[in-house]
Amino acid sequence: MDDLIYYGLFFLMPFAAFLYASVGHGGASSYLMILALLGFAPEEIRPTALILNMMVSMASFLNYRKAGEFPTSLFWSLILFSIPAAYLGGTILLDASIYKKVLGALLIFPALKFAGVFPIADKVKIERAWWMGPLLGILIGFLSGMIGIGGGIILTPIVLMLGWAGVKETAALSALFIFLNSVAGFLGASIYELPLKEELWVLVPLTVAGGILGAYLGAKRFSVKSLKYLLAFVLLFASIKLMLS
């Protein structure tokens, strides 16, 4: 690996986690974006992002689980179908060029979310039929395992727009959803027995530390509205670049 890229990762990954955590997110899409743009292969990107997802999402769940009433029924209708789908998605190893295009398309979700495009409903817009949760679970779970995300970037805006849960309840729901899908996706990808590069393992504790610091400062110290627009711009730019590469 080029020395400039190697040392740049020690700044970019923790800084991305810091920015995302400061606005209440785990940062999976940012880790994937950075590693993909720097030329890492999908088999190296996915396990790194999924490991980080497990750690950050569990910390988020423990923080949010007492903030409101947990939407248990919605959670089970999603997770029972998303876990096997995430495992199946994890067993699929995409060609690098296809992987970048799919990732680029998925980055549009967090970009639009940070830009405030997705509305938050104050009441239920569409009553949840019995098949809606399982269908969402399958679709989001499969993409989660195949790309290396936890699925929260897709699930959160959908739940909030439909009014199925409040903001705090959705945060807890998404965090646990991300954790379990990340575990399933990681187990699915492990069938390839591909070794994770040593420099990427070193980045794990640094990135998690950046996320913890960002979460503390975002909650206690400064306004994050401008950061959301900055992240939206960066993600949209990266999305276009990856889809055109």
Side-chain angles (χ1 to χ4, degrees):
M1 180 187 296
D2 183 87
D3 287 343
L4 181 61
I5 293 177
Y6 176 68
Y7 290 113
L9 283 172
F10 281 86
F11 169 76
L12 289 174
M13 293 287 278
F15 185 62
F18 173 85
L19 289 178
Y20 263 67
S22 69
V23 294
H25 290 264
S29 54
S30 67
Y31 315 141
L32 293 168
M33 173 188 69
I34 291 168
L35 294 174
L37 289 174
L38 291 180
F40 284 88
E43 59 267 26
E44 297 167 338
I45 296 172
R46 282 199 302 172
T48 305
L50 290 170
I51 289 169
L52 290 169
N53 271 350
M54 292 178 212
M55 295 182 179
V56 176
S57 62
M58 179 49 66
S60 297
F61 173 69
L62 294 174
N63 181 55
Y64 280 107
R65 65 191 175 111
K66 296 181 179 179
E69 184 176 350
F70 189 77
T72 305
S73 174
L74 175 58
F75 171 75
W76 284 113
S77 71
L78 291 162
I79 205 65
L80 288 176
F81 294 86
S82 71
I83 287 178
Y87 179 87
L88 178 62
T91 65
I92 298 173
L93 189 59
L94 294 176
D95 175 79
S97 61
I98 298 175
Y99 179 88
K100 287 182 178 180
K101 287 178 173 56
V102 176
L103 174 58
L106 289 177
L107 287 179
I108 294 174
F109 278 88
L112 294 178
K113 184 178 186 300
F114 287 134
V117 173
F118 295 121
I120 299 177
D122 55 1
K123 61 180 180 179
V124 177
K125 296 294 184 181
I126 298 178
E127 290 293 338
R128 180 166 56 92
W130 67 268
W131 54 268
M132 291 181 179
L135 180 60
L136 273 177
I138 291 171
L139 294 176
I140 298 175
F142 184 75
L143 282 173
S144 299
M146 185 171 63
I147 302 301
I149 59 176
I153 60 172
I154 305 173
L155 179 65
T156 298
I158 292 175
V159 171
L160 291 175
M161 281 193 299
L162 295 178
W164 288 353
V167 174
K168 292 181 179 180
E169 292 80 8
T170 301
L173 168 71
S174 294
L176 191 55
F177 183 83
I178 290 168
F179 173 77
L180 294 173
N181 278 329
S182 296
V183 172
F186 183 81
L187 291 175
S190 67
I191 66 170
Y192 293 104
E193 297 181 352
L194 297 168
L196 191 62
K197 286 190 174 182
E198 181 180 344
E199 55 266 28
L200 295 182
W201 275 112
V202 174
L203 285 170
V204 171
L206 292 174
T207 305
V208 172
I212 292 172
L213 179 61
Y216 171 77
L217 292 178
K220 306 290 185 181
R221 300 282 180 174
F222 55 78
S223 172
V224 296
K225 185 175 181 180
S226 58
L227 284 181
K228 289 184 179 182
Y229 290 115
L230 173 62
L231 285 170
F233 173 78
V234 171
L235 287 167
L236 190 59
F237 173 81
S239 172
I240 295 171
K241 182 172 177 59
L242 286 169
M243 286 192 288
L244 294 179
S245 63

